[in-house]
Amino acid sequence: MGDEEPTGINLEIFEKKLRTFPLKAKAMPILQVGAFTGLSGLIAGGVGGILRSSPTPVLFAVASSVQWAALGSAFSATRSTLLHTYFVDSNHDDHLHASGTAGIITGGLVGGVFRGYRNVVPGAIMFGLFGYLGQMGWHKVDSRHSEMVSEEVQRREKGIEKKRLWDRMMDMRWSPFRALSDEEYKDTLHEKLVKVEADLALVDEQIERLMAGRTTAERGQDERRG
């Protein structure tokens, strides 16, 4: 039998890639994620502390902010490290696996540090699912956005104007309104103009009848006086 290629993680390659990890370039995005999640945790903790009637809602909010900042920054750092060292192809599946693995590591680590060893497994499972499903949702949103951009480019190349939201809603079957074309709008205005002209003609006839009646009445009065 021939020699089989070793499977699994090559530690030497992993260590080499880990040494070349661009920490300076990744530090700012990692800190930004931590700041954003920390702010979210501060707001959520403040609201939660008030709803729970906590005697120290400010302390509750600060503790929540610290935990979420640690989760966000640790998740971002772990995910970036995995994509640089192990999931190097950076394709759809690699991003899913990197986000899920980073969620497992981060959830277990932060859960154990802040809430005790009993929360290691629940935290790993919960944040692993969050990371995996969140990455899956991001891929769907990004894919839809790419399709919309491609459709927009094709419309511009063909000279087709993009319909506005109101126009698209009126084109739907269930919509009680319907968008009129230029010709239909002109026909509608013409019909209204004809109707107005007919009404004006009737008014002119009534005025003529009144004037004729008035003239006849005046002549009758003049004849009586004469």
Side-chain angles (χ1 to χ4, degrees):
M1 295 179 64
D3 295 335
E4 295 182 356
E5 294 183 0
T7 58
I9 300 175
N10 191 318
L11 294 179
E12 293 183 0
I13 297 177
F14 184 84
E15 290 177 359
K16 288 180 180 179
K17 290 180 178 180
L18 188 60
R19 293 193 192 100
T20 60
F21 181 75
L23 181 59
K24 292 183 179 180
K26 298 291 185 179
M28 186 55 66
I30 291 171
L31 292 175
Q32 289 175 349
V33 172
F36 176 77
T37 53
L39 179 61
S40 301
L42 181 67
I43 297 172
V47 174
I50 294 172
L51 294 177
R52 292 183 179 183
S53 301
S54 174
T56 55
V58 176
L59 183 62
F60 192 88
V62 172
S64 176
S65 176
V66 172
Q67 291 182 33
W68 281 99
L71 279 169
S73 56
F75 174 83
S76 180
T78 305
R79 182 178 181 275
S80 298
T81 304
L82 289 172
L83 287 174
H84 181 76
T85 57
Y86 187 66
F87 301 105
V88 294
D89 293 335
S90 190
N91 53 33
H92 181 275
D93 291 337
D94 281 355
H95 282 116
L96 285 175
H97 296 151
S99 297
T101 305
I104 292 172
I105 296 172
T106 303
L109 179 63
V110 176
V113 170
F114 286 95
R115 296 181 178 272
Y117 69 93
R118 292 184 178 179
N119 289 279
V120 172
V121 175
I125 294 174
M126 182 175 67
F127 284 98
L129 288 174
F130 283 169
Y132 189 87
L133 296 177
Q135 187 67 50
M136 185 180 294
W138 172 259
H139 279 312
K140 290 184 177 180
V141 172
D142 185 62
S143 177
R144 178 55 184 163
H145 179 263
S146 300
E147 290 178 1
M148 293 175 63
V149 172
S150 178
E151 291 174 358
E152 180 67 21
V153 171
Q154 292 178 1
R155 279 195 295 265
R156 290 181 179 178
E157 291 177 351
K158 295 178 180 178
I160 301 175
E161 185 179 356
K162 182 181 179 181
K163 289 186 177 182
R164 295 172 298 178
L165 177 61
W166 179 251
D167 294 333
R168 294 199 300 271
M169 290 177 64
M170 287 192 294
D171 289 340
M172 295 179 178
R173 294 180 179 179
W174 52 264
S175 176
F177 305 101
R178 186 173 65 88
L180 297 176
S181 63
D182 293 340
E183 294 298 328
E184 290 175 334
Y185 185 66
K186 290 179 181 178
D187 293 339
T188 302
L189 290 179
H190 180 70
E191 291 176 359
K192 291 182 178 180
L193 180 60
V194 170
K195 185 177 180 181
V196 170
E197 290 177 348
D199 292 339
L200 289 175
L202 291 174
V203 171
D204 290 338
E205 289 180 3
Q206 291 178 357
I207 291 174
E208 289 178 359
R209 290 175 184 175
L210 290 173
M211 294 296 293
R214 182 179 179 183
T215 302
T216 303
E218 289 177 352
R219 287 178 182 177
Q221 290 178 358
D222 291 340
E223 288 176 357
R224 293 192 191 98
R225 290 174 184 174

